[in-house]
């Protein structure tokens, strides 16, 4: 069965600094990896996904994620954080033909 | 497309009452999912449907919970009787497929409070 770990409940970063939100995964087959963002009182919004062959994936709002097969990680990154990036971020993984399994989420707080 | 639509957005009810949450998936999507989000347990998959047929309901917490999908454009999640521990945000999501890189699209959620 697949699983996702987001080791940090909270990440604080100053505006303008780079940010990283960590995610590690476990699947039995090929990993299909996703990041979603949730703003207050809203549903989850798709941010980006891993497509085989591109270890650095670019997504919405300037976010990117780095796939590392040997470390089974898919960390979310952004070169320069904005206050408006403050939200709850979820990493998700699936095996083929299964629904997404989500991590517990990491709350990102960008401080002006 | 309007996206996944859920109603009501907020529901406050008393313990013991029946609660019905509603969802309209994105047109053409074959899969529909019900999730529950709480601070303690995060985002839990309750049940999902493929072409209106329930595929996996192992996440449904108790017999008090039931879900139906009478047609491709409508699903309900019912709690009867409701209890305070059912208080949570319930999300509906839909997807064209559940293989590979097909993403799931989420509705805005229903915030349920049981007093």
């Amino acid at each position: 069965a697949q699983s996702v770990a987001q080791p940090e409940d909270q990440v604080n970063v100053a505006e303008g600094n780079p940010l990283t939100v960590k995610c590690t995964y476990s699947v039995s087959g090929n990993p299909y990896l996703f990041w979603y963002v949730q703003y207050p009182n809203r549903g989850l919004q798709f941010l980006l996904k891993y497509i085989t062959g591109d270890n650095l994936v670019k997504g919405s709002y300037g976010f990117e994620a780095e796939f590392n097969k040997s470390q089974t990680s898919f960390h979310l990154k952004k070169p320069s954080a904005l206050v408006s990036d403050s939200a709850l971020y979820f990493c998700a993984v699936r095996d083929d033909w299964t629904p997404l399994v989500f991590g517990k989420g990491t709350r990102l707080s960008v401080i002006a | 497309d309007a996206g996944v639509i859920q109603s009501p957005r907020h529901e406050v009810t008393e313990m013991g009452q029946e609660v019905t949450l509603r969802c309209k998936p994105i047109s053409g999507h074959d899969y529909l999912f019900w999730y529950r989000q709480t601070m303690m347990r995060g985002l839990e998959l309750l049940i999902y449907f493929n072409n209106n047929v329930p595929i996996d309901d192992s996440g449904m917490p108790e017999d008090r919970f039931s879900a139906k999908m009478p047609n491709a454009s409508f699903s309900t999640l019912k709690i009867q009787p409701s209890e305070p521990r059912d208080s949570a945000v319930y999300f509906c999501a839909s997807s064209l497929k559940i293989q590979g890189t097909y993403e799931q699209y989420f509705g805005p959620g229903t915030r349920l409070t049981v007093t």
Side-chain angles (χ1 to χ4, degrees):
Chain A
Q2 60 267 38
S3 65
V4 175
Q6 293 182 243
E8 301 154 318
D9 291 336
Q10 173 99 23
V11 169
N12 298 319
V13 63
E15 187 175 31
N17 282 3
L19 69 88
T20 298
V21 182
K22 296 179 181 178
C23 171
T24 59
Y25 66 90
S26 173
V27 294
S28 54
N30 291 323
Y32 298 98
L33 297 152
F34 301 76
W35 276 101
Y36 282 77
V37 59
Q38 184 181 26
Y39 297 102
N41 301 313
R42 303 285 295 275
L44 277 70
Q45 297 178 32
F46 168 74
L47 204 53
L48 55 79
K49 62 186 175 185
Y50 169 65
I51 299 175
T52 304
D54 295 328
N55 286 351
L56 187 62
V57 179
K58 294 191 183 297
S60 308
Y61 313 120
F63 282 93
E64 55 191 28
E66 186 172 8
F67 173 70
N68 187 316
K69 187 174 182 179
S70 63
Q71 296 185 4
T72 61
S73 66
F74 190 56
H75 300 332
L76 182 69
K77 300 183 178 187
K78 188 173 183 181
S80 178
L82 300 173
V83 171
S84 57
D85 293 330
S86 298
L88 189 57
Y89 290 82
F90 290 93
C91 182
V93 67
R94 70 148 58 98
D95 217 330
D96 224 347
W97 297 103
T98 61
L100 290 176
V101 171
F102 288 84
K104 288 194 174 293
T106 298
R107 187 165 300 281
L108 173 67
S109 180
V110 181
I111 304 159
Chain B
D1 199 315
V4 177
I5 298 172
Q6 291 186 248
S7 65
R9 293 294 310 276
H10 301 274
E11 177 79 42
V12 180
T13 190
E14 291 184 349
M15 181 175 63
Q17 296 298 306
E18 178 179 294
V19 175
T20 299
L21 311 181
R22 297 172 176 80
C23 175
K24 177 179 168 56
I26 293 173
S27 177
H29 280 189
D30 290 341
Y31 289 84
L32 183 139
F33 313 85
W34 282 101
Y35 286 87
R36 178 172 69 175
Q37 184 181 34
T38 60
M39 291 288 289
M40 291 297 293
R41 301 171 74 94
L43 201 61
E44 303 172 274
L45 177 65
L46 300 178
I47 185 172
Y48 77 97
F49 295 82
N50 177 26
N51 292 324
N52 314 337
V53 176
I55 302 301
D56 185 353
D57 66 354
S58 60
M60 296 285 261
E62 300 170 33
D63 291 344
R64 299 184 295 107
F65 286 69
S66 62
K68 294 182 180 179
M69 193 165 185
N71 57 61
S73 59
F74 184 65
S75 176
T76 59
L77 178 68
K78 186 176 294 186
I79 308 172
Q80 165 64 18
S82 58
E83 296 183 3
R85 60 194 167 119
D86 302 331
S87 297
V89 181
Y90 291 82
F91 289 104
C92 177
S94 71
S95 178
L96 194 60
K97 304 288 182 188
I98 59 166
Q99 67 200 91
T101 57
Y102 285 96
E103 57 259 39
Q104 294 173 195
Y105 295 84
F106 283 76
T110 296
R111 182 174 296 276
L112 173 65
T113 303
V114 184
T115 60

